[in-house]
């Protein structure tokens, strides 16, 4: 595994077009790992979103909010050659880790709803999800094949979105 | 990284954590019938991503008992126990780990430990605060800690964590104890200490 893995931590995002590169968010609970992929270009990005809405709290670390992170991830992807019209989305996380009645409980669900809403407005299709429930998850995004895997606590990596060989032209 | 808290403030918070965890260890000791040691507590103000990393390896399995704090200060108490240690503590209470009562036994440990800490905090600061009932789960450490911190992430960029370690003597069994006030909660805490 992981010749070159980039950890995308809470409130961070990363994009890459480097073949063999893997973007990873470990231990997503109520947070959402949003992967966006342009398969044709071999370009992918991952955002580790913490909260659904900034509600006026922008500031230095605004990427923890869905309403900042989603457009920013798209624009950074466009910056390295992706086309918005080709982007595919995969969502992982948004769980309720604790069975207590507190506001932090619904954060997971609200995160997912907010990210879906933002993607819909940008006409980016959601191709696969592993969301909700009460289990922590890890997401891995393989930049060159556009394969996305998820692992739950105590489980194995399972493929959420099948990878495809890009750059077929190279073989020709 | 700017921490937004002064050394004096962090020292005062550390002292609060010291007294809180001292009270909690006495309660745990009485419950388990064993001596319980406490480590020197840490008070850390860290950006959220670093706060999660400071808690330990993100994918490590951990048993967490969580209690909310409500009242004049909002926040969360999180007790983190390696699963093997959680099993050991169940046995000390005479409950087999695979028993249907194991979860509630752990919840009760969390309840006693968390409540005594919160009560000590209330006594020292004059704050009117109380715990919510405990919830127990075993999952990825990072997912649990990040989900607790998310509640405090809305209005700030830095998480304040008061971290102590309780060690049950002779059993090699430890509980890591985290108090995470919500952003507004830290201000209330500091103003009660005359350090805002």
């Amino acid at each position: 595994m992981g010749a070159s893995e980039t950890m995308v931590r809470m409130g961070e995002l990363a994009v890459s077009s480097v073949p063999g590169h893997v973007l990873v968010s470990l231990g997503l609970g109520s947070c959402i790992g949003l992967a966006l992929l342009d398969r044709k270009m071999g370009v992918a990005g991952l955002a580790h979103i913490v909260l659904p809405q900034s509600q006026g709290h922008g500031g230095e670390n605004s990427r923890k909010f869905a309403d900042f992170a989603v457009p920013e991830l798209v624009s950074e992807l466009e910056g390295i050659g992706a086309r918005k019209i080709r982007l595919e989305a995969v969502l992982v996380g948004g769980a309720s880790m604790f069975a207590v009645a507190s506001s932090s409980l619904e954060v997971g669900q609200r995160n997912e709803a907010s990210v879906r809403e933002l993607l819909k407005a940008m006409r980016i299709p959601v191709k696969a999800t592993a969301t909700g429930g009460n289990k922590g998850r890890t997401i891995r995004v393989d930049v060159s094949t556009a394969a996305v895997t998820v692992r739950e606590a105590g489980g194995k990596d399972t493929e959420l979105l099948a990878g495809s060989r890009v750059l077929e032209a190279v073989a020709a | 990284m700017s921490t937004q808290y002064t050394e004096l403030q962090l020292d005062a918070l550390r002292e609060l954590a010291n007294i809180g965890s001292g009270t909690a260890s006495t309660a745990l000791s009485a419950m388990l019938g064993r001596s319980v040691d406490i480590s020197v507590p840490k008070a850390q103000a860290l950006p959220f991503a670093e706060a999660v990393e400071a808690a330990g390896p993100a994918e490590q399995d951990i048993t967490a008992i969580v209690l909310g704090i409500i009242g004049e200060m909002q926040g969360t108490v999180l007790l983190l126990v390696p699963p093997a240690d959680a099993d050991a503590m169940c046995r000390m209470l005479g409950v087999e780990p695979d028993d249907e009562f194991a979860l509630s036994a752990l919840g009760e440990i969390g309840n006693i430990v968390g409540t005594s800490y919160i009560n000590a905090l209330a006594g020292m600061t004059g704050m009117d605060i109380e715990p919510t009932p405990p919830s127990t789960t075993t999952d990825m450490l990072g997912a649990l800690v990040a989900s607790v911190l998310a509640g405090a992430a809305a209005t700030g960029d830095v998480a304040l964590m008061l971290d102590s370690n309780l060690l049950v003597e002779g059993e090699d069994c430890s509980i890591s104890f985290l108090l995470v006030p919500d952003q507004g909660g830290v201000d209330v805490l500091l103003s009660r200490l005359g350090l805002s």
Side-chain angles (χ1 to χ4, degrees), chain B residues 21-152:
Chain B
S21 55
T23 312
S25 73
T26 308
L28 182 64
S29 173
M31 192 181 188
L32 298 177
R34 308 280 205 287
S35 299
V36 175
D37 286 338
I38 53 171
S39 65
V40 178
K42 287 185 279 188
Q44 299 186 93
L46 296 170
F48 287 100
E50 286 167 39
V52 176
E53 286 180 346
E59 288 190 299
Q60 182 194 333
D61 264 354
I62 201 93
T63 298
I65 310 159
V66 65
L67 292 85
I69 304 173
I70 52 171
E72 285 179 78
M73 184 191 86
Q74 312 274 332
T76 308
V77 164
L78 186 62
L79 289 97
L80 300 169
V81 190
D85 293 13
D87 290 355
M89 277 192 283
C90 282
R91 289 200 188 91
M92 285 179 229
L93 290 173
V95 178
E96 280 308 305
D98 52 1
D99 190 277
E100 57 178 316
F101 298 116
L103 272 188
S104 63
L106 288 172
E108 198 44 33
I109 290 175
N111 207 16
I112 302 284
V113 172
T115 302
S116 50
Y117 190 107
I118 291 166
N119 286 343
L121 208 60
M124 282 182 287
T125 57
M127 284 189 300
D128 192 4
I129 50 174
E130 53 182 298
T132 63
S135 162
T136 307
T137 187
T138 298
D139 209 297
M140 291 180 184
L141 174 61
L144 295 165
V145 174
S147 300
V148 166
L149 294 180

Side-chain angles (χ1 to χ4, degrees), chain A residues 81-147:
Chain A
R83 291 276 311 278
K84 190 156 99 184
I85 197 163
R86 281 197 302 257
L87 288 177
E88 303 171 287
V90 177
L91 270 64
V92 168
S96 302
M97 301 304 295
F98 301 105
V100 277
S102 88
S103 61
S104 63
L105 233 211
E106 310 124 57
V107 168
Q109 284 166 31
R110 284 175 22 230
N111 278 340
E112 181 179 358
S114 173
V115 171
R116 281 183 179 274
E117 190 85 359
L118 289 155
L119 291 171
K120 197 175 165 194
M122 298 176 96
R123 298 176 185 279
I124 297 171
V126 176
K127 292 291 186 181
T129 60
T131 53
N134 56 10
K135 284 279 164 209
R137 300 176 177 94
T138 287
I139 182 174
R140 284 195 158 75
V141 182
D142 186 315
V143 171
S144 42
T145 66

Side-chain angles (χ1 to χ4, degrees), chain A residues 33-88:
Chain A
L34 167 66
L36 291 179
L37 310 129
D38 180 339
R39 218 170 258 285
K40 187 169 175 217
M41 296 300 292
V43 168
L46 179 63
H48 187 151
I49 296 164
V50 184
L51 290 163
Q53 265 146 13
S54 54
Q55 292 171 320
H57 300 286
E60 199 184 328
N61 295 306
S62 54
R63 290 165 163 197
K64 66 189 171 198
F65 300 111
D67 52 345
F68 279 90
V70 176
E72 214 165 304
L73 184 61
V74 171
S75 93
E76 288 209 5
L77 283 166
E78 287 176 323
I80 58 166
R83 291 276 311 278
K84 190 156 99 184
I85 197 163
R86 281 197 302 257
L87 288 177
E88 303 171 287

